[in-house]
Amino acid sequence: MCGIVGYIGKRVAIPILVNGLYNLEYRGYDSAGVAVVSDSKIYDVKCPGKVDGLARLAASKLPASNIGIAHTRWATHGVPSVSNAHPHLDCTGTVAVVHNGIIENYYSLRERLVEEGHTFASETDSEVISHLIEEKLKTKASIDAAVLAALGELEGTYGLAILHSGTPGCLVAARNGSPLLIGIGDGQFMVGSDQAALVPYSSEVIHLSDGEIAFISKEGIDLRTLENREVVRQSEQLTLVSDDIRKGNYEHFMQKEIFEQPEALGNVMRGRISTDDDSVKLGGLLNLMPKILSARRIILTGCGTSWHSALYGKYLLERYAKIPVEVEYASEFRYRDPVVDNSDVVVAISQSGETADTLAALRMANAKGATCLAVCNVVGSSIARESKAGIYIHAGPEIGVASTKAFTCQLVALSMLTIAVTRGLNPESEDLKTISAELRKLPGLMSEALQLDPFIREVAEAFYESRNFLYLGRGYNFPVALEGALKLKEISYIHAEGYPAAEMKHGPIALVDSEMPVVFLAPRDETYGKVVGNMEEIKARGGRVIAIVDHDDPRVNKMAEYIIPIPKTIDSLNPVLSVIPLQLLAYHIALLRGCDVDKPRNLAKSVTVE
């Protein structure tokens, strides 16, 4: 969730470090800091708030140096403050550490270090690392040996970048459960918690694996395990470019990503749906397809928006492939000791590929013998690398914290998975041709749906002062109701709940009055009559109805204060279109309320801690 940047090379480090932090702002943070080594001394500045403030401090107070580390912090232990911001120094001021993750045994380590004479300046768990390295340096001859010894005592997760004033030509990086990459450029190296931190100074990248530590000098990278065994790993091309993390002509990243969705859908389908026979070719799953087809059940797991995608996937797979599917919150799945074995297929869904709970759930399922797959957006991410196979959604970088294009691309990826599995189990199914043909139409239909934007702003102006929203849908659109409510609460801070429309009578209807907006997802599908009945119940209690429809109906016109028409597609693909007005509604309401839509409070883009 936090951001790490490190640099060593021939350039002045501070502008590069600060630029890296700017590129990581989308991840969410509450404070920032930077440290450099100059004349065998560590100099650092830190501040709560935005990177802009840190940039001014660093430019005025830090000496020129060609090595340094920087950090944006998202508070876990201790409030946002100068003392709690990273980097953290030891008592002697010779060791500086930036840390992502959580050190689970920090309290016992801190107590021991205090007894040994160390003085702590912060409330964080992270500070114990710098003091522990300081203690090890008393008996170890080098920073390499001291860091290895210190890391051997840590329990928990970490991504680390470390400086030692006594070894000014070395930048240390280590990973255990929190993503970390090394960028390789022309005579320079960078460390980052995200590819965005490495742009534009790196052309290649090395992904650290858990239990690895890198000692980086201007001459090269010495990569080792925590047991001090040498690791040889080839670098990969850095695919991210500067334009990928710029807003272009849009006001916000969220707006840009909403309007990129037609193109993104084309990318996720490109080369995968045959125009000759409407078959789907998922090359990444080819070798494992026999295992998938013989599975006792499929388990879909994820967090937040990805969990909503998983629920949609369950509806599809059970309807067409006739295979049992379970949907699990990754945070619950990983801890409840589920019954999973080699007859199960587990599909981990994550935009970033680094979601801590989803990664842990994947590892647990792997350990129990399940066939583990991934639906993921980020090539080279931990979930992608630790799955046996998977589907990249190719949505492109998603910078806004509230997921938009990744969600719709996940829905399309799960639709293609459904076609592939169903064709393997029931090759004669006529439904598959229809789904394939309608999938290819979606980018054009989505472009039509996005033309609703000016009207959606009018709807937002009518409701942005509301304190509560209710979103109701049935069948395929129940996951969309959940997603619409999540988008609204994430970026506008309005309380919103998504419900199956029928369940509304079992409690939430008590909340309905003349001040309650209720959004109905009401396409003319097999549940349409029931949804209209629910709409009448809300209207009878004074609720303000907003209806998302794909047809004209005089009954709905009479009940709804606002009708939002979307293009018509088949029932199973309607969610890919029906979510568009909900994304736009959340976006415009948040703007009208003066909220930061790209960086909502208390949230982070990539949740890499529990």
Side-chain angles (χ1 to χ4, degrees):
M1 298 172 79
C2 312
I4 287 176
V5 188
Y7 177 82
I8 182 169
K10 56 188 179 183
R11 305 189 188 195
V12 176
I14 295 169
I16 296 172
L17 295 170
V18 170
N19 182 71
L21 293 186
Y22 277 125
N23 288 348
L24 294 178
E25 280 193 298
Y26 76 93
R27 293 170 65 97
Y29 68 103
D30 49 48
S31 57
V34 61
V36 298
V37 178
S38 179
D39 295 327
S40 297
K41 293 181 181 179
I42 290 178
Y43 298 85
D44 72 303
V45 290
K46 306 188 288 185
C47 65
K50 299 297 184 182
V51 172
D52 282 341
L54 178 72
R56 290 189 292 271
L57 281 173
S60 63
K61 295 192 174 183
L62 294 182
S65 171
N66 57 18
I67 181 171
I69 55 177
H71 190 266
T72 50
R73 176 179 184 258
W74 190 89
T76 57
H77 296 70
V79 301
S81 66
V82 172
S83 60
N84 287 332
H86 299 217
H88 290 296
L89 274 63
D90 67 323
C91 297
T92 65
T94 60
V95 176
V97 171
V98 294
H99 167 230
N100 288 353
I102 293 178
I103 304 304
E104 295 172 359
N105 63 332
Y106 88 97
Y107 190 77
S108 60
L109 289 172
R110 181 171 177 140
E111 282 190 322
R112 191 188 82 198
L113 289 164
V114 168
E115 289 177 0
E116 291 171 345
H118 292 261
T119 301
F120 283 75
S122 77
E123 304 169 82
T124 70
D125 58 322
S126 305
E127 191 184 353
V128 300
I129 303 169
S130 56
H131 291 279
L132 192 57
I133 295 171
E134 175 194 359
E135 191 65 25
K136 298 301 180 183
L137 279 167
K138 294 176 182 178
T139 56
K140 302 294 181 181
S142 67
I143 188 63
D144 303 31
V147 172
L148 283 167
L151 297 187
E153 294 192 27
L154 299 182
E155 297 173 9
T157 59
Y158 55 77
L160 295 169
I162 303 166
L163 296 178
H164 178 228
S165 62
T167 318
C170 181
L171 171 63
V172 183
R175 169 189 168 143
N176 186 56
S178 187
L180 207 62
L181 308 91
I182 302 172
I184 304 170
D186 180 18
Q188 58 196 355
F189 298 92
M190 293 191 71
V191 172
S193 49
D194 187 312
Q195 288 192 38
L198 312 178
V199 175
Y201 304 104
S202 304
S203 57
E204 297 179 31
V205 65
I206 290 175
H207 296 267
L208 290 187
S209 297
D210 284 350
E212 291 182 348
I213 183 168
F215 302 99
I216 309 166
S217 68
K218 293 178 183 178
E219 286 70 42
I221 303 167
D222 180 12
L223 185 59
R224 299 188 169 273
T225 67
L226 292 183
E227 294 75 32
N228 205 24
R229 292 193 298 270
E230 184 179 2
V231 176
V232 177
R233 180 168 302 130
Q234 293 297 314
S235 61
E236 304 170 21
Q237 196 69 27
L238 182 66
T239 55
L240 199 66
V241 297
S242 296
D243 286 347
D244 291 332
I245 51 176
R246 300 289 181 262
K247 289 194 286 275
N249 294 324
Y250 293 94
E251 291 185 42
H252 305 93
F253 281 112
M254 183 177 180
Q255 181 190 35
K256 175 176 181 276
E257 288 151 13
I258 289 173
F259 280 86
E260 284 177 340
Q261 287 177 104
E263 180 184 2
L265 292 193
N267 290 338
V268 73
M269 290 186 281
R270 184 170 292 112
R272 288 170 164 170
I273 300 180
S274 170
T275 56
D276 296 329
D277 59 2
D278 293 310
S279 63
V280 166
K281 296 177 175 61
L282 300 174
L285 302 184
L286 191 60
N287 293 335
L288 286 176
M289 192 54 70
K291 187 71 174 178
I292 298 170
L293 297 178
S294 64
R296 174 183 59 160
R297 60 178 173 170
I298 295 175
I299 300 170
L300 305 175
T301 187
C303 300
T305 287
S306 294
W307 188 90
H308 300 158
S309 303
L311 185 58
Y312 168 80
K314 171 184 171 70
Y315 283 42
L316 279 178
L317 284 161
E318 291 195 335
R319 170 67 64 90
Y320 294 108
K322 306 301 182 186
I323 186 170
V325 179
E326 295 181 10
V327 177
E328 297 277 0
Y329 284 107
S331 55
E332 292 295 313
F333 186 52
R334 62 177 293 198
Y335 281 120
R336 64 175 179 79
D337 193 22
V339 179
V340 177
D341 58 33
N342 61 7
S343 66
D344 295 314
V345 169
V346 174
V347 183
I349 306 175
S350 168
Q351 187 283 133
S352 68
E354 302 292 352
T355 310
D357 284 315
T358 308
L359 179 58
L362 178 76
R363 289 170 173 168
M364 178 270 293
N366 262 324
K368 288 177 177 284
T371 299
C372 291
L373 313 177
V375 174
C376 186
N377 192 32
V378 180
V379 175
S381 61
S382 297
I383 288 173
R385 287 185 289 120
E386 296 191 30
S387 302
K388 290 183 173 67
I391 305 171
Y392 282 119
I393 64 173
H394 300 304
E398 190 177 65
I399 306 299
V401 167
S403 181
T404 52
K405 64 178 180 176
F407 176 69
T408 50
C409 286
Q410 286 170 353
L411 300 190
V412 170
L414 290 165
S415 299
M416 293 190 295
L417 175 63
T418 298
I419 294 172
V421 173
T422 305
R423 188 172 292 279
L425 296 171
N426 182 15
E428 304 304 317
S429 173
E430 290 297 318
D431 292 321
L432 303 184
K433 294 180 181 179
T434 301
I435 299 172
S436 296
E438 291 298 318
L439 274 170
R440 292 198 300 271
K441 297 177 185 177
L442 281 179
L445 295 176
M446 186 172 280
S447 294
E448 289 182 39
L450 287 166
Q451 294 176 20
L452 291 164
D453 185 49
F455 176 59
I456 301 296
R457 182 179 170 84
E458 292 179 24
V459 179
E461 288 171 346
F463 294 103
Y464 77 94
E465 293 181 317
S466 300
R467 298 181 63 185
N468 299 282
F469 265 74
L470 194 59
Y471 290 72
L472 300 176
R474 286 183 182 242
Y476 295 115
N477 274 296
F478 166 47
V480 180
L482 294 172
E483 178 63 11
L486 178 62
K487 290 286 95 68
L488 187 70
K489 67 182 107 180
E490 278 182 317
I491 63 169
S492 75
Y493 319 139
I494 293 173
H495 175 256
E497 295 299 331
Y499 258 84
E503 288 296 305
M504 169 266 300
K505 296 188 292 293
H506 299 279
I509 198 168
L511 302 173
V512 175
D513 58 22
S514 60
E515 296 183 357
M516 171 71 86
V518 182
V519 180
F520 277 92
L521 294 146
R524 192 180 287 278
D525 59 16
E526 61 187 8
T527 67
Y528 175 67
K530 299 293 186 183
V531 172
V532 172
N534 298 138
M535 201 179 294
E536 289 172 336
E537 292 164 343
I538 292 294
K539 190 64 178 176
R541 287 156 180 82
R544 304 179 67 183
V545 174
I546 304 166
I548 314 292
V549 301
D550 60 1
H551 61 283
D552 184 53
D553 186 329
R555 287 183 302 165
V556 174
N557 293 345
K558 289 179 181 178
M559 288 185 287
E561 189 171 340
Y562 288 92
I563 300 286
I564 301 175
I566 60 172
K568 180 71 176 175
T569 185
I570 59 174
D571 294 353
S572 60
L573 297 180
N574 181 273
V576 184
L577 301 177
S578 62
V579 76
I580 297 300
L582 304 188
Q583 294 172 349
L584 291 169
L585 183 64
Y587 172 75
H588 286 299
I589 286 177
L591 288 183
L592 290 165
R593 291 169 66 89
C595 301
D596 186 340
V597 296
D598 284 337
K599 299 188 285 290
R601 68 188 183 202
N602 303 331
L603 296 179
K605 182 63 181 174
S606 182
V607 184
T608 56
V609 297
E610 293 184 51

